[in-house]
Amino acid sequence: MHNDNAEDTFSKRAHVPKFSNNVEMIVKRQVSFPRTIDTTEVTSPPESHPNTNPKSHTLPRRRRNFNRDPSILSSATKTLSSVEYLKRSTKTIAHYAATKKWQAALGELDRLVRERGNSVKPDTKLYNAVLGALARAGQWRHALGMVDEMKSISLVPDSYTHVSVLTSFAKVKNWRQADAYFQGISPEHKNLFVFNAFAHAMSNAGQWQRALDVLGNIKQAALKPDVYTFSTVISACVNAKRSDVAKELFSEMNSLGIKPNKVTLTSMIPIHANSGDWRKALQIYESLTASKSEDTKALAIIVGALVKGSKFDLAEDLIDTSHKNGMRVNDYVYGALMAGYGSRGKWREALELMFKMHSKRVLATNSIYIQLINACGNGPKPHPWHIALAGYDTIRPNHNIPILERELASSHAVTFLPPPPQMLPPMTKKESTVAANALLRVFAKEERLEEVTAVLEYLRTPRGGPPDHYSFSLAMGAFLRANRFHEALTVYNWAEMRGENNDIIKTAAITASGEIGNRNRAQEIYFSIENKDSLANKTMMSVYEKYGSWEDAIELIKETRDAPANLFSMAMRICCQAGKLREAIDVANRIEQAGLVLTEKMVATSVQALRAATASPEIVEKFTESVIPKQRLEN
């Protein structure tokens, strides 16, 4: 039975690659780590040396250390017997495997054959040590070559051999080659370890259905799946977002009396977390705690689940308890809680959490500061833009935006935050854009348009960004709400130059063009939208209504597939505003032909527009009688 503590001990003692739990069990039986030997003194001390007698040494005798230079075997083992020489080479190759030096492992094998020739015949253990190095590095082509070489000297690949080759495929997610290799393994060599390694290769490559098939193949081979089998397949289903299958497997696992391990339980937590069942997720985490198998990854997942269920108090208590129990809670865990504060606009709690992190000596990362800025922008007004600005200045201290520097100096906002880490990692371009967008959102909601312009212009510089479509849409939205349409179109032109003018930005530009009287520009932008949605159609129809373009309104109705009733209503109203009675009646008939309902509200607005356009009661009455048979009306 696998033991996590034993695994840690083994990984320190035996320098072998860690492929999967099953591989480790085989490696423990076949490969051991060479004892430490010092290379600083290869020969015995000369007779003139004061400590020639080993018993009179006052200092421990220095020994050859093959960890430092395993190539010393070349000169130190020439007098060894063939068996001892082979053992030494196997240990050296195992060391290379542990240090991810697969080229050196191949070189050691070549050296053994070159120096000893036929006097030393490599055995399966030696080749398996080389395969261990290749598997860890994902060198599946070399691994296949090793298997062919074994067969050429009449060595029979064993279960460790097959597990190593399959693990090399899993490392690079090459499931097709893994499948072909597995099919070529003779049935008598397909034990549970081999099946599990094959399932691992399928799982790593995202082939959850094939991983599930392996479970069925194990049963058909009259083998009993173990905890590693279920853990591998469940993980594959979780990654593929097939929580229903994962839950069924977990139930089957319990019905077979197989006790779930740390991997299984950690995989099940996000299933219940993502479905909103935070109670079940917390129950599973408590079982991890009872077995003392909890870790920061599982803690972060359960904190995220509690945050999703708005159980912020429970999440905070869980973090405090973990601290008291001696767990080193890291920024990943705090980040899960901070993300909840950020999405819910809880900037006070986010700020308090940052001070708590500082007191616990947990370094805040760039993403933590970004979530603080998000929290400032997602809450109700007034938004604490000065705190958001201080957070941004912490992670982008060299932005050199004059207006922001003046605001920082006048508001003393930096004093509201805990002392920043001495050195934050440099931000990636993506992080820079996300951080600037978060700050833009705060300024846009507070209608601080000068700051919006300054941040967007900074993003357009080589040091700043680059801006994305969200950056431009935030700025355009701010200018539209302030009725500053020319500035909004300037932002649209910037977006167009960068190729970031998506449909949302184009729709906003249609509104801005219409408001400044440029109907042709609005039409040009509208026709450039490939997939026109209801918002784009309604926005363009509003422009037509503003300018009384009843012909364009009717044409838009004709070209729009599955136009909604409100679009027909707008077109009918535009015709009434222009005094086009016959055309208005025609649009009303189209509503019925499209299988839509003509409501009293639609008729009332059209009648009102018609009355404003003509003073003739006869025309209004004629429209009412022609368009509004009472049996067709619905409230």
Side-chain angles (χ1 to χ4, degrees), residues 221-242:
L223 297 173
K224 293 182 178 180
D226 60 7
V227 63
Y228 309 115
T229 311
F230 279 100
S231 296
T232 301
V233 181
I234 287 174
S235 296
C237 295
V238 170
N239 294 333
K241 302 187 184 304
R242 291 305 306 264

Side-chain angles (χ1 to χ4, degrees), residues 373-374 377 383 385 388-389 392 401 404 432-460 466-479 481 491 494:
I373 301 171
N374 283 332
H383 300 95
W385 60 267
L389 179 56
Y392 183 77
I401 305 176
L404 300 190
S432 299
T433 302
V434 171
N437 286 347
L439 184 62
L440 263 176
R441 193 161 184 257
V442 178
F443 286 143
K445 287 192 172 184
E446 283 297 299
E447 299 179 359
R448 302 187 69 87
L449 300 183
E450 291 185 17
E451 288 84 349
V452 168
T453 304
V455 174
L456 189 58
E457 288 179 345
Y458 171 68
L459 278 175
R460 295 177 64 221
D468 58 10
H469 63 272
Y470 187 53
S471 312
F472 293 113
S473 62
L474 284 170
M476 287 193 72
F479 287 122
R481 287 190 294 272
V491 173
W494 290 348

Side-chain angles (χ1 to χ4, degrees), residues 164 181 212 222 228 263 337 344 371 378 478 526:
S164 296
Y181 181 83
L212 188 61
Y228 309 115
V263 176
L337 181 55
R344 306 296 175 86
Q371 291 300 339
N378 286 329
Y526 172 75

Side-chain angles (χ1 to χ4, degrees), residues 143 150 289 480 512:
M150 290 175 67
T289 306
L480 286 177

Side-chain angles (χ1 to χ4, degrees), residues 581-613:
L581 178 62
R582 186 179 63 182
E583 288 77 5
I585 294 173
D586 181 62
V587 173
N589 292 331
R590 286 177 178 272
I591 294 176
E592 186 178 55
Q593 292 170 6
L596 301 173
V597 175
L598 182 66
T599 65
E600 288 185 0
K601 183 178 180 181
M602 294 179 187
V603 174
T605 56
S606 296
V607 168
Q608 185 179 0
L610 189 60
R611 284 174 177 167

Side-chain angles (χ1 to χ4, degrees), residues 42 64 66 72-80 88:
V42 177
R64 302 184 187 90
F66 289 107
I72 198 67
L73 282 171
S74 178
S75 60
T77 61
K78 290 182 178 179
T79 59
L80 296 176
R88 287 290 183 91

Side-chain angles (χ1 to χ4, degrees), residues 20-23 25-26 29 159-160 162-163 166 189-199 223 226 228:
S20 66
N21 295 323
N22 303 307
V23 178
M25 294 178 66
I26 302 174
R29 296 197 298 267
S159 60
Y160 181 86
H162 299 312
V163 167
L166 290 170
H189 289 155
K190 290 182 179 178
N191 60 13
L192 185 59
F193 294 135
V194 176
F195 274 110
N196 284 350
F198 181 49
L223 297 173
D226 60 7
Y228 309 115

Side-chain angles (χ1 to χ4, degrees), residues 5-300:
N5 294 329
E7 177 186 351
D8 294 337
T9 304
F10 171 71
S11 64
K12 295 177 182 177
R13 184 179 70 251
H15 286 209
V16 294
K18 295 173 66 177
F19 319 116
S20 66
N21 295 323
N22 303 307
V23 178
E24 291 173 19
M25 294 178 66
I26 302 174
V27 172
K28 289 179 185 179
R29 296 197 298 267
Q30 297 195 14
V31 183
S32 60
F33 177 64
R35 63 192 180 93
T36 301
I37 303 174
D38 196 322
T39 59
T40 58
E41 186 173 331
V42 177
T43 59
S44 300
E47 292 183 359
S48 59
H49 196 281
N51 290 328
T52 301
N53 185 355
K55 294 183 179 179
S56 65
H57 287 181
T58 57
L59 296 175
R61 184 179 180 183
R62 294 188 293 179
R63 300 181 178 182
R64 302 184 187 90
N65 187 345
F66 289 107
N67 288 335
R68 299 182 183 178
D69 186 12
S71 63
I72 198 67
L73 282 171
S74 178
S75 60
T77 61
K78 290 182 178 179
T79 59
L80 296 176
S81 66
S82 297
V83 174
E84 291 174 337
Y85 191 94
L86 191 61
K87 287 181 178 180
R88 287 290 183 91
S89 293
T90 302
K91 293 175 181 178
T92 303
I93 292 173
H95 163 71
Y96 283 135
T99 54
K100 300 181 181 180
K101 298 178 180 179
W102 62 271
Q103 298 96 331
L106 288 176
E108 177 64 20
L109 177 61
D110 292 340
R111 188 188 64 78
L112 181 145
V113 175
R114 184 177 64 253
E115 292 187 0
R116 287 296 178 125
N118 296 329
S119 63
V120 176
K121 181 180 179 182
D123 59 4
T124 304
K125 286 185 177 181
L126 180 69
Y127 276 99
N128 283 345
V130 178
L131 282 167
L134 297 174
R136 189 183 182 107
Q139 296 293 324
W140 60 271
R141 290 184 177 87
H142 287 293
L144 290 177
M146 285 292 102
V147 175
D148 292 338
E149 188 174 322
M150 290 175 67
K151 294 178 180 178
S152 68
I153 59 175
S154 302
L155 290 178
V156 179
D158 58 11
S159 60
Y160 181 86
T161 308
H162 299 312
V163 167
S164 296
V165 176
L166 290 170
T167 302
S168 69
F169 293 130
K171 192 76 174 180
V172 295
K173 302 179 181 180
N174 191 343
W175 66 269
R176 289 185 174 85
Q177 288 288 348
D179 185 54
Y181 181 83
F182 180 78
Q183 301 305 327
I185 301 175
S186 58
E188 61 271 16
H189 289 155
K190 290 182 179 178
N191 60 13
L192 185 59
F193 294 135
V194 176
F195 274 110
N196 284 350
F198 181 49
H200 178 58
M202 297 296 107
S203 175
N204 265 22
Q207 299 293 317
W208 69 272
Q209 290 175 314
R210 295 178 184 272
L212 188 61
D213 291 339
V214 176
L215 182 60
N217 295 336
I218 291 175
K219 298 174 182 177
Q220 292 177 2
L223 297 173
K224 293 182 178 180
D226 60 7
V227 63
Y228 309 115
T229 311
F230 279 100
S231 296
T232 301
V233 181
I234 287 174
S235 296
C237 295
V238 170
N239 294 333
K241 302 187 184 304
R242 291 305 306 264
S243 57
D244 53 337
V245 181
K247 288 179 180 179
E248 292 178 4
L249 291 172
F250 190 71
S251 299
E252 181 182 352
M253 184 179 179
N254 290 328
S255 66
L256 293 175
I258 300 175
K259 186 178 179 180
N261 62 5
K262 174 182 176 180
V263 176
T264 318
L265 293 174
T266 305
S267 298
M268 293 302 297
I269 290 176
I271 291 179
H272 299 287
N274 294 333
S275 62
D277 191 357
W278 61 268
R279 290 181 177 85
K280 184 64 177 179
L282 185 59
Q283 180 182 350
I284 295 175
Y285 181 79
E286 287 173 349
S287 64
L288 276 173
T289 306
S291 61
K292 296 183 179 180
S293 301
E294 74 275 19
D295 58 12
T296 53
K297 180 181 178 181
L299 178 59

